[in-house]
Amino acid sequence: MAEIALPHNWEPRDYQRPAWDSWLSGCNRQLLIWHRRAGKDDINLRQHAVGAFNRIGTYWHMLPQYAQARKAIWEAVNPHTGRRRIEEAFPDEIIASKRDNDMFIRFVNGSTFQVVGSDNYNALVGTPPVGLTLSEWGLANPTAWGYLAPILAENGGWASFISTPRGNNHLKGMHDRFRNDPRWFTQVLTVEDTGAVSPEAVADQKGEYEALYGAEMAELLVQQEFYCSFSGAMIGAYWGADVSRAESEGRIGKVDVVPGLPVHTAWDLGAPANNPIWCFQVVNGVVQVVDFYRPTTEDLEDWCGWLNERKYRGNDYVPHDIFHQSWGSKRSRVQMMQDYGRKPRPVKKVSVADGLTAGRETLKACRIDKERCELGIDGLRNYRREWDDDLKRFKDKPVKDWAEHIGSAWRYLGLAWREIRGEQPAPPPRVLGGAPGYGSASIDDLWTATQGGGSHRI
């Protein structure tokens, strides 16, 4: 085999050097929050090339969606050279074979590289990775890392998270958590830090944004894309601003389960392992969202068992079509839920627009537990409309990604909770018998008298 230097015909730019040197020195966790067009994917592709020949193993470059991965990485062409990015990072001399259909490369030393999507991370087969890039992490399914982290911890592999900000979501949460952790290399780079994009180019891009979204949104986008601001909402998000408002008003925080009130649930039923469940109470006419569950298995019994174990035994609000689907069983889903001790109630069928309105109105007044519902809150921030590149406008349907079913379940919650009226906490137990100042009053009289009615005398 002819000798060839890796990385091939490439040197990190000055501002990329700290991240590159950190990785070369053995730092196994990176979080690179760099502005648009700073070369995040390029540096990571070179890490895969070098890594594959330092350690034989499997390497993945993961984007939020499989189709997006093909367009952005596998088929993308460097406008400065006219060559595909894959060809520049992986020269022919190091490739033994290549499969276009599943974006797979086998190197001459036995290592492999594949471009994949986090939208089906748990369906990927074969040897697990020892090197992993999670590109556009701010848009990706955060549960993908929960699935892959133990694998990389066990095999000593490395992971690099690269993205521009996408509002105050899991990307920001990760940065806040690990920016002072010595085991991580974290870095935020704006155009002012790198000089990689000229002020004139930024101004031109802002003009394009203004034509598409208006001046206010254009400014938020420029701050997000080029100055790495976390303050903007997800572009096209249905409820991003409403979630941010709930947070600023202090309605996203610690929310305890109120004893004596049932905990109801709102489900969406998609593919077998993609069925998020919101758990909520209605306290004095206010929705209090106390928990969130996203199944990790395809077994409905496991999901019901999770709810039953926590004694969440109110009504289970589910899509109206629950009676017609069975996941290959002769029993319908509603029959299966009943067999496992649940109380399914179909949500009234309305248009998606009406459901979105109900979800928004609920967000304006509800309270949500921040810790138990963290993934669900992330999903609400990321639930967004699909953009039509040809017509240059948003479509009337949501993006089919990891957040879609979370948003749909919230729509059902918004439609369902209003039918729950007059629920109040049960009175605490009282000891039978006399009490100082009350004589031999009944339990009901004692309860009424202690509620501060004023005019009630025993």
Side-chain angles (χ1 to χ4, degrees):
M1 181 180 67
E3 289 190 3
I4 186 168
L6 293 175
H8 183 60
N9 290 337
W10 181 86
E11 284 288 334
R13 305 169 194 171
D14 288 344
Y15 63 84
Q16 294 173 332
R17 177 66 69 178
W20 179 257
D21 289 346
S22 170
W23 179 79
L24 283 181
S25 66
C27 180
N28 277 352
R29 298 291 182 268
Q30 288 189 324
L31 178 61
L32 308 182
I33 302 174
W34 292 358
H35 68 81
R36 183 66 54 209
R37 304 207 303 268
K40 299 182 290 295
D41 285 298
D42 285 340
I43 189 174
N44 269 252
L45 288 173
R46 271 64 182 195
Q47 287 178 194
H48 286 299
V50 173
F53 281 83
N54 283 338
R55 177 182 179 182
I56 296 176
T58 297
Y59 296 81
W60 288 351
H61 199 100
M62 178 178 284
L63 271 80
Q65 294 178 289
Y66 185 80
Q68 176 190 16
R70 177 173 292 278
K71 181 179 180 180
I73 301 298
W74 190 256
E75 296 177 348
V77 174
N78 183 339
H80 302 292
T81 65
R83 298 188 65 205
R84 289 171 61 187
R85 301 173 79 175
I86 290 292
E87 294 171 348
E88 291 184 329
F90 309 124
D92 291 340
E93 291 87 346
I94 68 172
I95 296 176
S97 62
K98 187 186 300 183
R99 296 197 303 259
D100 184 71
N101 63 322
D102 57 352
M103 298 184 284
F104 177 91
I105 294 174
R106 184 176 298 279
F107 299 115
V108 292
N109 71 333
S111 287
T112 65
F113 170 84
Q114 191 168 13
V115 183
V116 298
S118 67
D119 49 350
N120 67 336
Y121 65 89
N122 55 350
L124 294 169
V125 296
T127 306
V130 297
L132 172 67
T133 293
L134 298 107
S135 181
E136 292 295 351
W137 178 240
L139 290 172
N141 183 351
T143 59
W145 178 235
Y147 177 82
L148 293 165
I151 295 172
L152 289 166
E154 188 277 331
N155 65 29
W158 57 267
S160 180
F161 301 81
I162 58 177
S163 190
T164 49
R166 285 293 183 270
N168 183 14
N169 66 359
H170 57 273
L171 173 65
K172 184 177 185 299
M174 180 173 279
H175 178 254
D176 291 344
R177 180 175 179 181
F178 294 118
R179 61 183 173 182
N180 296 318
D181 190 325
R183 297 167 299 177
W184 282 70
F185 178 88
T186 64
Q187 188 178 49
V188 178
L189 291 179
T190 74
V191 289
E192 293 179 343
D193 299 317
T194 69
V197 181
S198 69
E200 293 77 17
V202 173
D204 288 344
Q205 186 63 66
K206 183 177 181 180
E208 291 184 22
Y209 287 152
E210 286 181 354
L212 291 172
Y213 310 114
E216 182 177 357
M217 186 60 74
E219 179 60 29
L220 288 173
L221 272 172
V222 165
Q223 291 300 316
Q224 173 180 280
E225 297 292 306
F226 296 104
Y227 296 93
C228 296
S229 169
F230 289 100
S231 62
M234 182 75 69
I235 302 305
Y238 289 111
W239 302 318
D242 302 291
V243 175
S244 296
R245 188 176 300 110
E247 192 167 47
S248 66
E249 292 174 356
R251 292 186 287 107
I252 296 179
K254 185 173 176 56
V255 180
D256 293 323
V257 175
V258 176
L261 282 183
V263 177
H264 306 285
T265 66
W267 304 42
D268 188 37
L269 296 171
N274 190 15
N275 295 272
I277 302 172
W278 292 99
C279 308
F280 67 98
Q281 296 180 295
V282 181
V283 183
N284 297 323
V286 176
V287 177
Q288 298 202 159
V289 185
V290 298
D291 216 332
F292 176 84
Y293 176 61
R294 191 176 190 188
T296 56
T297 74
E298 298 184 359
D299 193 338
L300 179 60
E301 184 175 5
D302 290 343
W303 316 349
C304 296
W306 188 91
L307 296 170
N308 292 339
E309 181 181 341
R310 287 157 180 76
K311 297 181 172 57
Y312 297 165
R313 297 184 179 277
N315 297 328
D316 299 304
Y317 294 97
V318 293
H320 67 279
D321 58 359
I322 187 174
F323 296 97
H324 308 298
Q325 301 185 30
S326 63
W327 287 321
S329 169
K330 292 183 179 179
R331 294 178 297 164
S332 69
R333 296 185 188 185
V334 70
Q335 291 171 325
M336 295 169 70
M337 289 179 68
Q338 289 170 339
D339 289 345
Y340 298 136
R342 305 306 304 173
K343 295 185 289 186
R345 296 175 65 116
V347 176
K348 180 182 178 181
K349 185 176 181 180
V350 301
S351 68
V352 172
D354 286 344
L356 290 168
T357 299
R360 179 173 294 107
E361 291 303 311
T362 302
L363 277 168
K364 289 179 179 179
C366 70
R367 298 179 65 232
I368 307 176
D369 186 86
K370 183 175 183 178
E371 182 176 343
R372 290 190 295 271
C373 300
E374 182 179 10
L375 177 61
I377 296 166
D378 237 2
L380 294 180
R381 294 187 193 278
N382 284 269
Y383 182 51
R384 65 195 193 281
R385 293 172 290 174
E386 187 175 342
W387 176 256
D388 190 318
D389 271 331
D390 295 326
L391 299 178
K392 303 300 180 186
R393 63 175 177 80
F394 289 107
K395 299 180 181 179
D396 294 329
K397 60 181 181 180
V399 174
K400 298 284 186 181
D401 66 358
W402 67 275
E404 180 200 5
H405 290 291
I406 294 175
S408 295
W410 185 267
R411 293 201 328 260
Y412 299 136
L413 187 159
L415 292 165
W417 75 267
R418 297 176 188 280
E419 76 171 50
I420 305 166
R421 303 291 184 184
E423 291 187 350
Q424 301 293 333
R430 291 293 186 267
V431 178
L432 286 169
Y438 293 106
S440 58
S442 69
I443 297 175
D444 288 341
D445 284 339
L446 284 171
W447 170 248
T448 304
T450 58
Q451 298 311 294
S455 62
H456 185 94
R457 295 181 60 84
I458 300 175

